[in-house]
Amino acid sequence: MTGDWPPLTLPADAPLTAWERAAFLFHVIAASAGILCLAAGAAAGAKYLRKYANLRRKDPAEIASGGASLEALNRFVRRMVYAGFALLTVAIAMGLHQAFQPEREGWFHIWQTHPKMVLAAGTWAVYALALCVIRGKKFRGRLAAGLSIAGVVLVALVLLLALLMPGQ
């Protein structure tokens, strides 16, 4: 599968300008910070689901332990998804900006169908859905926590695919 896709790198005879290096660095920093925010939100979502299940079973240890309330965990998930989504959007936009450079003729056609970019767009769509769900009062809590976990699984798939593809 990986042999069918050309690498998403520049040819050796097309060095990056200072602006392009800065844009690439900004892209990497935004993507990394976004992934950290989304991972923190997913961890809080997992804690929310565990705490919810324990409270539903009326587990005395959970009731006595205290810790963060379900509402506090829900707020934290919401904030992390907002921040991570914004950073992921900036990272994808910066990557697309690099793909649209006129001196890279034909690059965008490769990126449109490249598995890494398709998974990144899918991840963005899952988090866009999570933001819509979080905004609705009826769909807070378990559904929002589950979507944040599903989104971080997609992020992990994108990272794994990026590591496994040659020339990346």
Side-chain angles (χ1 to χ4, degrees):
M1 175 185 129
T2 58
D4 299 332
W5 297 100
L8 296 177
T9 55
L10 281 175
D13 60 343
L16 293 176
T17 65
W19 158 250
E20 290 171 329
R21 277 193 298 274
F24 177 73
L25 182 63
F26 188 70
H27 163 75
V28 170
I29 290 171
S32 300
I35 289 168
L36 286 175
C37 287
L38 297 174
K47 182 167 176 63
Y48 180 98
L49 292 174
R50 194 188 91 230
K51 186 172 186 90
Y52 179 84
N54 288 341
L55 288 173
R56 190 144 168 94
R57 283 185 314 201
K58 297 179 176 38
D59 183 7
E62 185 68 46
I63 294 169
S65 71
S69 68
L70 290 176
E71 184 57 36
L73 288 169
N74 193 34
R75 270 194 314 271
F76 184 76
V77 168
R78 190 170 50 246
R79 288 178 183 149
M80 290 296 103
V81 169
Y82 284 144
F85 182 76
L87 290 165
L88 186 64
T89 301
V90 168
I92 288 174
M94 291 302 292
L96 287 175
H97 172 73
Q98 291 295 317
F100 272 119
Q101 296 301 316
E103 61 272 8
R104 294 186 188 93
E105 212 171 291
W107 259 35
F108 187 68
H109 300 295
I110 294 169
W111 282 61
Q112 281 179 321
T113 58
H114 202 279
K116 185 167 51 169
M117 290 306 297
V118 170
L119 273 175
T123 302
W124 186 89
V126 166
Y127 277 109
L129 177 63
L131 285 176
C132 292
V133 166
I134 286 171
R135 295 286 297 165
K137 293 189 189 286
K138 290 171 37 178
F139 295 109
R140 291 185 181 197
R142 290 186 306 158
L143 184 56
L147 281 173
S148 95
I149 293 169
V152 90
V153 167
L154 283 174
V155 168
L157 285 174
V158 170
L159 291 174
L160 182 66
L161 186 61
L163 291 173
L164 292 178
M165 293 190 78
Q168 302 305 315

